[in-house]
Amino acid sequence: MTTNAPLTVSVLGTGRVGSHIAAVLTQRGHTVTLGSRSPEQAIVRWTGPAVPILSLEEAAGTAPMVVNALPGDQALSVLTSLKAALSGRVLLDLANATTRTESSMELLYPGSSLAEQLQKVLPETWVVKSLNTMTYTVMTNPQGQVAPPTAFLAGNDSEAKQAVQKLLDALGWPPEWQLDLGDVTAARGSEALFLLVPFLVRARGFEPFSISVTQTTSAALY
């Protein structure tokens, strides 16, 4: 099921995740602007459908919904510098902030989360965490999974979460596959799930993956 009303979205980041989301939304009839730290270089590399590619600050100011697809370990410092441009906007944060070595991965903000840190430094922006517990291809094709995946949401503002739910709908997520976990502190849980990734890759290889929350049917209780 996809949303009927076309959306206007800015995607910050032209790596695999940002480029993929921008291309899919554009192909589905939505208005998308890409933001890059080096827009001239990004324009040369871009091979997707025609979209404006602007600086991060310019792109952040063009849409009511902004998607953070920047590297998680750089997102806080970069987005803090865009405080004025992001004021009054919904920020969908789908990044995971970790530190990595050859043998381990740790959370960059233990006892907190990237989403919480962003909300703290961007008080005039409505931060919503979602889509960070899956590979980027699943973000736009949840129907391709063997079992229904779950898209978690965490954020302080109910209207902002409703706006993100419309974006999830546009990406192919049925409402029953979306799970609102509560306020932004719940992002600690979904971000911590990213620590599973090295072990999943070791066990299954580089295959698209997602997290599913299931429950027992009433019939199975008896």
Side-chain angles (χ1 to χ4, degrees):
M1 178 170 145
T2 58
T3 187
N4 293 322
L7 304 175
T8 300
V9 181
S10 288
V11 179
L12 305 185
T14 53
R16 285 185 303 176
V17 178
S19 296
H20 179 73
I21 290 176
V24 170
L25 285 173
T26 302
Q27 290 164 351
R28 294 180 185 176
H30 303 284
T31 300
V32 179
T33 299
L34 264 172
S36 172
R37 283 175 282 189
S38 302
E40 297 83 3
Q41 296 178 22
I43 290 171
V44 173
R45 296 193 305 266
W46 180 250
T47 59
V51 296
I53 301 179
L54 308 175
S55 70
L56 294 176
E57 184 173 14
E58 290 172 323
T62 64
M65 168 81 68
V66 180
V67 177
N68 169 36
L70 296 164
D73 58 349
Q74 302 170 29
L76 183 60
S77 60
V78 174
L79 295 178
T80 298
S81 70
L82 304 177
K83 183 176 180 179
L86 290 170
S87 178
R89 305 185 192 283
V90 175
L91 178 66
L92 167 57
D93 173 33
L94 48 77
N96 288 295
T98 59
T99 59
R100 307 183 192 190
T101 67
E102 290 185 2
S103 59
S104 69
M105 176 186 293
E106 302 293 340
L107 297 174
L108 188 57
Y109 306 109
S112 184
S113 63
L114 173 59
E116 289 176 85
Q117 295 300 310
L118 288 171
Q119 188 61 85
K120 186 182 299 182
V121 300
L122 302 170
E124 302 301 322
T125 302
W126 295 285
V127 178
V128 179
K129 191 80 184 188
S130 192
L131 295 179
N132 63 302
T133 57
M134 63 201 72
T135 49
Y136 69 97
T137 54
V138 180
M139 295 177 185
T140 61
N141 184 29
Q143 307 284 349
Q145 296 295 92
V146 173
T150 302
F152 303 104
L153 295 98
N156 294 340
D157 186 84
S158 60
E159 291 185 7
K161 285 190 280 190
Q162 289 171 11
V164 170
Q165 288 172 325
K166 291 180 180 179
L167 178 59
L168 295 181
D169 184 57
L171 292 173
W173 289 86
E176 61 270 21
W177 293 4
Q178 304 173 30
L179 181 56
D180 186 348
L181 297 177
D183 67 29
V184 73
T185 61
R188 300 179 190 185
S190 63
E191 289 188 27
L193 289 172
F194 193 70
L195 297 179
L196 282 170
V197 171
F199 305 101
L200 288 173
V201 171
R202 189 181 306 167
R204 302 292 297 271
F206 288 94
E207 297 180 1
F209 69 84
S210 57
I211 303 293
S212 296
V213 174
T214 61
Q215 63 186 58
T216 304
T217 62
S218 58
L221 296 175
Y222 302 98

